[in-house]
Amino acid sequence: MSSPRITQQTAATSLPLTQAPAGRHVPPPQTAPSAIHTGRWQWLLEGGGWNVLQPSLDFLALSAVVVIALGGITATVDVSAQSAPLLILPALVLLVLYLRGLYRTRLRTLVLDSVVPIVSAVSVAAMAVAMIGRLANGQMPDQTRWLDAWMLAVIGVGLCRIALALVQRWARSRRLVGKPVLILGAGLVGSQVAKRLENHPEYGLIPLGFLDDDPRSIAEVGGRDMPVLGTVEEVDEIIAHTGVHNLIVAFSSTADARVSRLIQHCQKLGVEVSVVPRMFDTINNRVGYDTVGGLPLMSFQRVDPKGLQFAVKYAIDRGLAAIILLALAPLIVLIMLAVRLSSPGPVLFRQRRVGRDGTVFDLYKFRSMRMTAEQLAHGGCADTGLTDDDTTALQFMLGGDTAPGGIEGHDRRTLVGRLLRRSSLDELPQFLNVLRGEMSIIGPRPERPEFVELFREDISRYDERHRVKSGITGWAQVHGLRGRTSLAERVEWDNYYIAHWSLGLDLKILALTLTAIFHDTE
């Protein structure tokens, strides 16, 4: 049974929009999948229970911290006038965490993003406790107990955040929980948002379909798995049928004035609205906000890859590379011996790669494969370029939006080579490239010149990743984009890294790299 279309009179009453252009209507589904969008897990990890669970666990952890700092349960708890201000530490920490926005619902919970805010929030609360003690008693709380409380509070809140993030990520990745979402705009950007949410359930948003007055054809957007549920005029009907509480506004044919009224209407209905901004590829986390009267202005601050910040970064890279090579010298010698004994050929494998500003350099790795007769004839340490079969395979990969990587052709890895690749130890010689100034420790992974020539013609913004030095590890790699994965998505992550670069982001990438060090490499 098809659902009744919303009448023009009802639409005008519930949503004061101008008449939408006539278009094809696809009836919306009758109900949302109850196994995903309802139940205890959904309420606890995505609904109202999540807003109670986080502060409750923080409060319990902080209360235990105060008890431990004051002597513990089994000992005689000394709550003297000097130590009494510590009793208000849990409440103060929760207040600062709330003011810092750490109890807001986020699409993706990353523990590393919360480290600095948690440390600063607990530190501010601990200093407030010291000031209150000074004002109330004329002296600060006992220094030992105060420092114990501060340190344990950081650890306690941090552990609670880690546990909650892991549980929520586990439930989302198995589709046990998730919020159904509508996407306004069935064009290129809207389709990209839908595909990204489908491929990454850890965001917790499950796309059900699109709203669009005049959707582009499936061929124009390169495929669209979700249906177009209806037009903007039918939003009340579609929300009622799907039970969604989230709307993502991507680019559509709908006029901006109607989109603004749609957003206001959805907010009145209790639907959370997120917007993909126009010129999104020029926006980073340094966006400034100001007003001219009631008119908002956004100022864009770009990162200069040739500026002082990156010059300091590269200087630090060289120093760290020297320290790492010296510290790991015994391990490097052992690997060299193992590679030498594994099969005939040199210890190092050299391959031409493209780095900053298109500069070509020789990238070094420990050899992990048996050498062919042709390679041994060329000295054994350099690649011999692309064959016709390689080029044909590459064109196929470009058509499927897949990057080269992994094991190309016949698997000639030695036993030692398999172990080196699995542990990423074959990448250690690239610290020599860093020491020589050809690479950075963190940055986009370099590619072969033959591939670059083809990629720059087919992949949007591909050349922009060459604004900085190539890296041993990078933002795309720590998000699983290694080997034969989406090339366009990899380029997007690389350019995101350049636009949002900071020392904190580099430290985050290093931490994520250590957690993924035993995964198969490209």
Side-chain angles (χ1 to χ4, degrees):
M1 179 183 297
S2 61
S3 56
R5 291 177 62 90
I6 187 169
T7 64
Q8 185 173 349
Q9 181 179 1
T10 304
T13 303
S14 60
L15 181 60
L17 304 174
T18 58
Q19 178 64 40
R24 179 175 56 85
H25 169 61
V26 180
Q30 295 298 315
T31 58
S34 58
I36 296 177
H37 306 137
T38 60
R40 293 180 180 177
W41 283 103
Q42 177 70 19
W43 178 82
L44 187 63
L45 297 179
E46 297 287 357
W50 183 254
N51 297 327
V52 177
L53 181 62
Q54 287 191 94
S56 298
L57 287 180
D58 287 343
F59 183 79
L60 290 175
L62 291 165
S63 298
V65 163
V66 171
V67 171
I68 293 173
L70 292 176
I73 298 176
T74 58
T76 302
V77 178
D78 177 18
V79 190
S80 61
Q82 183 181 5
S83 301
L86 287 175
L87 296 175
I88 64 173
L89 179 65
L92 287 177
V93 172
L94 261 63
L95 176 62
V96 179
L97 290 174
Y98 172 78
L99 295 176
R100 292 292 303 269
L102 292 182
Y103 291 125
R104 290 201 305 262
T105 303
R106 297 182 181 274
L107 287 183
R108 189 177 184 183
T109 304
L110 291 177
V111 175
L112 293 175
D113 289 338
S114 301
V115 171
V116 173
I118 287 175
V119 172
S120 63
V122 172
S123 299
V124 169
M127 287 187 288
V129 167
M131 292 177 60
I132 291 173
R134 182 73 175 177
L135 294 174
N137 305 319
Q139 57 182 341
M140 292 177 56
D142 178 79
Q143 186 174 4
T144 301
R145 290 177 174 175
W146 181 81
L147 288 174
D148 287 345
W150 173 81
M151 180 181 64
L152 293 174
V154 171
I155 295 174
V157 175
L159 291 177
C160 285
R161 292 289 167 141
I162 291 173
L164 286 175
L166 291 176
V167 170
Q168 187 183 61
R169 186 181 179 88
W170 174 84
R172 285 178 172 180
S173 63
R174 285 158 178 76
R175 303 288 189 183
L176 297 177
V177 299
K179 298 178 182 178
V181 62
L182 293 175
I183 300 174
L184 174 62
L188 288 170
V189 176
S191 298
Q192 182 181 2
V193 170
K195 291 176 183 177
R196 191 67 52 82
L197 295 179
E198 276 288 301
N199 295 332
H200 297 277
E202 63 269 18
Y203 287 112
L205 295 178
I206 303 175
L208 298 184
F210 299 92
L211 297 176
D212 207 318
D213 293 337
D214 186 20
R216 301 179 65 175
S217 67
I218 295 178
E220 287 182 287
V221 299
R224 187 169 55 221
D225 296 332
M226 301 294 118
V228 178
L229 301 179
T231 67
V232 172
E233 294 293 334
E234 299 165 310
V235 63
D236 285 341
E237 174 187 5
I238 294 171
I239 289 176
H241 277 83
T242 59
V244 300
H245 294 286
N246 294 81
L247 173 72
I248 295 178
V249 179
F251 302 163
S252 72
S253 58
T254 307
D256 289 348
R258 297 182 67 236
V259 172
S260 296
R261 290 194 289 272
L262 171 68
I263 293 174
Q264 296 171 6
H265 179 70
C266 288
Q267 290 174 332
K268 291 179 181 178
L269 297 177
V271 175
E272 295 182 14
V273 180
S274 303
V275 178
V276 178
R278 299 195 182 274
M279 300 181 296
F280 61 87
D281 54 351
T282 64
I283 297 177
N284 58 26
N285 55 356
R286 295 173 174 83
V287 171
Y289 177 84
D290 211 330
T291 59
V292 176
L295 182 67
L297 292 179
M298 298 176 66
S299 59
F300 300 159
Q301 299 179 13
R302 65 183 290 270
V303 174
D304 183 9
K306 298 184 183 298
L308 178 61
Q309 289 180 317
F310 272 85
V312 173
K313 165 185 165 65
Y314 296 146
I316 295 174
D317 281 335
R318 289 191 174 189
L320 287 177
I323 294 172
I324 291 172
L325 288 172
L326 289 174
L328 299 181
L331 176 62
I332 292 173
V333 172
L334 290 176
I335 294 175
M336 292 173 66
L337 291 173
V339 173
R340 173 66 73 180
L341 296 174
S342 65
S343 64
V347 171
L348 294 180
F349 176 74
R350 188 177 74 241
Q351 192 173 65
R352 303 291 281 173
R353 297 290 178 109
V354 177
R356 184 183 185 186
D357 297 331
T359 303
V360 179
F361 67 96
D362 287 332
L363 177 139
Y364 296 103
K365 289 186 179 184
F366 283 124
R367 181 173 58 84
S368 60
M369 293 188 176
R370 294 180 178 86
M371 309 302 294
T372 65
E374 183 181 5
Q375 288 173 323
L376 289 172
H378 282 80
C381 56
D383 66 355
T384 56
L386 290 179
T387 65
D388 292 339
D389 290 340
D390 292 331
T391 304
T392 301
L394 178 58
Q395 296 287 7
F396 173 80
M397 287 188 288
L398 280 171
D401 188 30
T402 304
I407 306 303
E408 299 173 7
H410 180 64
D411 188 354
R412 294 180 284 108
R413 288 178 297 174
T414 64
L415 176 60
V416 172
R418 292 177 185 273
L419 295 175
L420 291 178
R421 286 205 174 196
R422 183 172 297 275
S423 61
S424 299
L425 291 176
D426 63 323
E427 310 281 354
L428 282 179
Q430 289 167 41
F431 284 104
L432 290 173
N433 293 114
V434 176
L435 195 60
R436 295 171 56 175
E438 298 164 335
M439 291 181 63
S440 173
I441 294 178
I442 299 172
R445 287 295 292 164
E447 195 50 79
R448 284 177 269 181
E450 298 86 355
F451 289 166
V452 170
E453 290 299 322
L454 292 171
F455 293 161
R456 63 163 47 109
E457 299 295 332
D458 293 88
I459 305 299
S460 174
R461 303 182 64 203
Y462 181 80
D463 261 348
E464 294 183 26
R465 66 199 298 272
H466 294 136
R467 291 175 290 169
V468 299
K469 290 182 181 180
S470 305
I472 298 176
T473 185
W475 189 235
Q477 282 67 42
V478 297
H479 285 87
L481 294 171
R482 298 178 294 171
R484 294 185 178 181
T485 52
S486 171
L487 180 60
E489 192 171 349
R490 187 185 298 186
V491 171
E492 178 186 338
W493 282 105
D494 287 338
N495 287 323
Y496 173 94
Y497 166 77
I498 298 171
H500 293 76
W501 179 84
S502 67
L503 180 59
L505 182 57
D506 274 359
L507 293 175
K508 184 190 301 184
I509 293 173
L510 284 177
L512 293 173
T513 299
L514 293 176
T515 63
I517 196 72
F518 296 109
H519 292 179
D520 287 335
T521 60
E522 56 182 310

